[in-house]
């Protein structure tokens, strides 16, 4: 585990986007849930079990909600998502499409105020 942590840290340190990243070894979903409240990411990527964490963050208030993007296994709560390929070229395209569409959906949600925040409420992206 320590070798893996050092290798990943080296990769993160080499990128300006990974400088403030944290690696958590040997943690569980309860620790992950705590991080969703303390670090407030834009979204989380995970399986069906993440829906409880999303609900818990929403219960604190809509501004604290951490949306779940369902990728992985198991996915029980959405029709046929358990069958989607996540390996190889086809899987990479699926994951990229899913992530981009989730970000665009969030952008639409945040910019739908008529004449106030609709500066980025576009039909074509």
């Amino acid at each position: 585990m320590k070798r893996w942590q050092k290798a990943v840290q080296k990769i993160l340190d080499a990128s300006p986007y990974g400088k403030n990243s944290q690696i958590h070894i040997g943690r569980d979903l309860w620790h992950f849930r705590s991080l969703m409240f303390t670090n407030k990411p834009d979204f989380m990527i995970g399986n069906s079990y993440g829906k409880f964490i999303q609900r818990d963050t929403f219960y604190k208030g809509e501004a604290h909600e951490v949306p779940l993007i369902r990728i992985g296994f198991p996915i029980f709560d959405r029709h046929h998502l358990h069958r989607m390929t996540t390996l190889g070229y086809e899987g990479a395209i699926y994951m990229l499409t899913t992530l981009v569409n989730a970000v665009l959906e969030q952008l639409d949600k945040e910019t739908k105020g008529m004449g106030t925040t609709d500066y980025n409420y576009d039909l074509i992206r």
Side-chain angles (χ1 to χ4, degrees):
M1 290 291 220
K2 292 287 185 184
R3 280 191 356 216
W4 182 84
Q5 183 176 7
K6 286 180 183 179
V8 171
Q9 190 65 54
K10 184 177 178 182
I11 293 169
L12 292 171
D13 290 342
S15 168
Y17 303 106
K19 294 256 186 243
N20 296 323
S21 298
Q22 300 174 354
I23 302 169
H24 301 278
I25 303 289
R27 302 297 183 179
D28 58 7
L29 277 177
W30 187 253
H31 181 255
F32 182 74
R33 179 188 178 277
S34 297
L35 291 173
M36 296 300 105
F37 283 100
T38 57
N39 295 0
K40 180 54 176 92
D42 295 328
F43 56 87
M44 65 178 145
I45 301 170
N47 59 27
S48 291
Y49 294 111
K51 83 184 290 181
F52 297 108
I53 298 171
Q54 180 180 3
R55 180 196 56 195
D56 292 349
T57 58
F58 177 78
Y59 186 73
K60 187 175 178 184
E62 190 171 353
H64 299 280
E65 181 181 13
V66 179
L68 170 64
I69 300 174
R70 287 167 177 82
I71 295 179
F73 184 81
I75 297 180
F76 302 118
D77 62 332
R78 295 295 183 267
H79 187 66
H80 281 281
L81 281 187
H82 69 282
R83 302 180 76 169
M84 300 306 293
T85 301
T86 56
L87 297 173
Y89 179 79
E90 183 180 341
I93 293 298
Y94 163 71
M95 287 194 291
L96 179 64
T97 302
T98 301
L99 293 171
V100 169
N101 283 331
V103 169
L104 292 175
E105 186 69 32
Q106 186 64 28
L107 185 62
D108 282 349
K109 182 179 175 184
E110 293 171 358
T111 60
K112 64 182 174 184
M114 190 75 81
T116 55
T117 61
D118 62 348
Y119 52 85
N120 205 15
Y121 198 73
D122 299 326
L123 183 60
I124 301 173
R125 300 197 188 252

